[in-house]
Amino acid sequence: MKNDQKQSCLALARDVLAIEAAAITRLASRLDDSFSAAVALILACEGRVVVSGMGKSGHIGNKIAATLASTGTPAFFMHPAEAAHGDLGMLTERDILLALSNSGESDELLALLPALKRKGVPIIALTGRPQSTLATEASIHLDAGVEKEACPLGLAPTASTTAALALGDALAVALLDARDFKPEDFALSHPGGSLGRKLLVHISDLMHGGEALPRVISGSSLKDALLEMTRKGLGMTAVCAADGQLLGIFTDGDLRRTLDKSLDLAGLRIDDVMARQPRTIESHRLATEAANEMEHHKINGLLVTDRAGNLVGALNMHDLLKAGVV
């Protein structure tokens, strides 16, 4: 591409972004009580928000439905052409239809109006023409009109679809706020994502307990402690009294420090070299809290206790990395 072509390309791209940004800015200034009424109607809905639109409006509607569903408002997308051939049965009188059409005259959506009226389904229309058929027949109209498309031909939906998407996002966020939707709620809808892993995974889900928990009894030789660490592979072992009370911890780092002191390893007992009052964390806490503890204290592992302070497990940074928590 020649230099003048590059400059022309960049100039056009900047114009597109400026036109679409201006469309959203004007959209914000036009928000009125219709938007608040739409939020109130959806909050009172006992069913779901069924989003529908044809062509590019349908693609935007799909995204709006997904955003609503992931932020606490049950929603799904229904193709208007398929709705006319049986899928309209997805809607009940408890649902709301959110219909998208820039012109407000999409034949496939208008064809559904009689059946929707008979069902008593409230309609929120999101169009670019307040005087259109869809807008006037709807229970509530949201004006997403734009002065012009960003397409230099004025044909391809560009600024209009951006405005519709932004208005859908505004609706979803307003509903999220009204429902007091929290990060934990969001995570429940995204258990496979990084947020879900951080907010839903507890230490009890990752820790090594039972026979996999490395521990030796007070008075054991250092050799026995090292063998236990090798068998369990966590780079540490807990040291407990005969009654199970946690007394200390011995880690790979403690071993290096012991070697630096040139002590006679053969004659050492674990009590001579263990770290007393080890850092612990309770099993009911979130795994991300364990990661914070390790990072803050610059350690690679933690012993895990129950609410009563009894030793129940151990975990290290590798467990957290493997689970995707960090």
Side-chain angles (χ1 to χ4, degrees):
M1 183 181 287
K2 296 180 180 179
N3 187 58
D4 58 339
Q5 291 176 312
K6 290 181 182 178
Q7 294 306 314
S8 176
C9 176
L10 289 172
L12 181 59
R14 291 188 181 105
D15 284 344
V16 170
L17 295 176
I19 291 170
E20 299 202 3
I24 293 176
T25 299
R26 286 191 290 271
L27 186 63
S29 67
R30 292 203 312 269
L31 283 180
D32 56 20
D33 289 343
S34 294
F35 183 85
S36 302
V39 171
L41 182 63
I42 295 174
L43 284 174
C45 177
E46 296 180 353
R48 300 146 304 173
V49 176
V50 181
V51 187
S52 192
M54 197 70 191
K56 303 299 186 295
S57 292
H59 295 307
I60 297 301
N62 247 312
K63 193 274 180 184
I64 291 174
T67 301
L68 288 169
S70 70
T71 53
T73 299
F76 64 87
F77 179 80
M78 178 186 70
H79 195 286
E82 297 296 337
H85 294 276
D87 281 3
L88 196 61
M90 295 177 179
L91 278 89
T92 72
E93 63 278 1
R94 298 164 59 125
D95 299 327
I96 293 172
L97 179 73
L98 175 59
L100 280 70
S101 170
N102 186 44
S103 68
E105 302 294 346
S106 297
D107 291 338
E108 294 83 358
L109 284 173
L110 297 185
L112 303 179
L113 292 179
L116 292 169
K117 297 286 187 180
R118 285 197 298 271
K119 280 176 172 278
V121 176
I123 301 170
I124 299 173
L126 196 159
T127 83
R129 294 178 56 211
Q131 305 307 317
S132 64
T133 303
L134 184 60
T136 55
E137 291 293 329
S139 309
I140 298 171
H141 175 246
L142 299 178
D143 183 4
V146 299
E147 290 187 358
K148 63 177 181 178
E149 297 288 4
C151 167
L153 302 176
L155 299 174
T158 46
S160 60
T161 49
T162 299
L165 180 60
L167 191 53
D169 285 344
L171 195 61
V173 172
L175 288 162
L176 174 153
D177 181 70
R179 297 183 193 280
D180 194 25
F181 197 76
K182 294 180 170 56
E184 292 81 0
D185 302 313
F186 188 84
L188 289 172
S189 299
H190 300 75
S194 61
L195 180 62
R197 287 191 292 273
K198 289 181 179 180
L199 293 179
L200 298 180
V201 177
H202 289 80
I203 291 169
S204 57
D205 299 323
L206 303 178
M207 70 181 191
H208 301 262
E211 291 300 316
L213 169 61
R215 57 183 155 189
V216 294
I217 301 299
S218 173
S220 299
S221 68
L222 177 57
K223 177 183 176 181
D224 288 339
L226 293 176
L227 289 173
E228 177 71 355
M229 290 170 63
T230 301
R231 282 193 295 268
K232 304 302 171 61
L234 295 183
M236 62 179 166
T237 183
V239 183
C240 300
D243 60 2
Q245 179 185 1
L246 178 62
L247 300 177
I249 187 172
F250 188 77
T251 68
D252 287 338
D254 294 320
L255 176 59
R256 288 192 294 273
R257 285 184 285 274
T258 300
L259 291 171
D260 285 341
K261 295 177 182 178
S262 300
L263 299 176
D264 178 14
L265 301 186
L268 287 178
R269 296 292 172 183
I270 192 61
D271 304 68
D272 301 324
V273 291
M274 71 180 183
R276 300 180 185 274
Q277 297 180 330
R279 296 191 182 280
T280 62
I281 193 165
E282 293 183 355
S283 59
H284 68 276
R285 292 171 62 183
L286 293 171
T288 187
E289 294 182 84
N292 291 338
E293 283 282 311
M294 292 184 199
E295 290 171 1
H296 179 72
H297 296 291
K298 295 180 173 53
I299 55 178
N300 292 317
L302 282 170
L303 295 176
V304 184
T305 63
D306 60 19
R307 292 177 187 270
N310 300 309
L311 180 67
V312 294
L315 80 164
N316 60 18
M317 187 62 76
H318 178 72
D319 298 318
L320 301 177
L321 289 168
K322 186 177 179 180
V325 174
V326 292

mmCIF file of all heavy atoms in Angstrom, residues 65 96 115 173 294 324:
data_model
loop_
_atom_site.group_PDB
_atom_site.id
_atom_site.type_symbol
_atom_site.label_atom_id
_atom_site.label_comp_id
_atom_site.label_asym_id
_atom_site.label_seq_id
_atom_site.Cartn_x
_atom_site.Cartn_y
_atom_site.Cartn_z
ATOM 1 N N ALA A 65 -28.850 -9.870 24.154
ATOM 2 C CA ALA A 65 -29.444 -10.970 24.919
ATOM 3 C C ALA A 65 -28.388 -11.654 25.780
ATOM 4 O O ALA A 65 -28.636 -11.980 26.951
ATOM 5 C CB ALA A 65 -30.099 -11.984 23.979
ATOM 6 N N ILE A 96 -41.186 -10.572 27.991
ATOM 7 C CA ILE A 96 -41.138 -9.279 27.315
ATOM 8 C C ILE A 96 -40.366 -9.464 26.023
ATOM 9 O O ILE A 96 -39.350 -10.167 25.990
ATOM 10 C CB ILE A 96 -40.436 -8.214 28.186
ATOM 11 C CG1 ILE A 96 -41.269 -7.895 29.421
ATOM 12 C CG2 ILE A 96 -40.154 -6.940 27.390
ATOM 13 C CD1 ILE A 96 -40.555 -6.997 30.415
ATOM 14 N N ALA A 115 -49.950 -11.636 16.789
ATOM 15 C CA ALA A 115 -49.852 -12.761 17.727
ATOM 16 C C ALA A 115 -49.352 -12.295 19.086
ATOM 17 O O ALA A 115 -49.824 -12.767 20.142
ATOM 18 C CB ALA A 115 -48.929 -13.836 17.163
ATOM 19 N N VAL A 173 -26.706 -2.632 32.004
ATOM 20 C CA VAL A 173 -25.986 -2.114 33.171
ATOM 21 C C VAL A 173 -26.936 -1.456 34.158
ATOM 22 O O VAL A 173 -26.783 -1.596 35.375
ATOM 23 C CB VAL A 173 -24.885 -1.127 32.724
ATOM 24 C CG1 VAL A 173 -24.262 -0.433 33.927
ATOM 25 C CG2 VAL A 173 -23.808 -1.863 31.939
ATOM 26 N N MET A 294 0.177 -15.855 49.831
ATOM 27 C CA MET A 294 1.489 -16.328 49.380
ATOM 28 C C MET A 294 2.307 -15.202 48.753
ATOM 29 O O MET A 294 3.509 -15.066 49.005
ATOM 30 C CB MET A 294 1.319 -17.475 48.374
ATOM 31 C CG MET A 294 0.764 -18.753 48.971
ATOM 32 S SD MET A 294 0.712 -20.079 47.739
ATOM 33 C CE MET A 294 -0.474 -21.194 48.496
ATOM 34 N N GLY A 324 -5.845 -22.074 37.545
ATOM 35 C CA GLY A 324 -6.103 -20.817 36.855
ATOM 36 C C GLY A 324 -6.500 -19.687 37.764
ATOM 37 O O GLY A 324 -7.039 -18.681 37.307
#
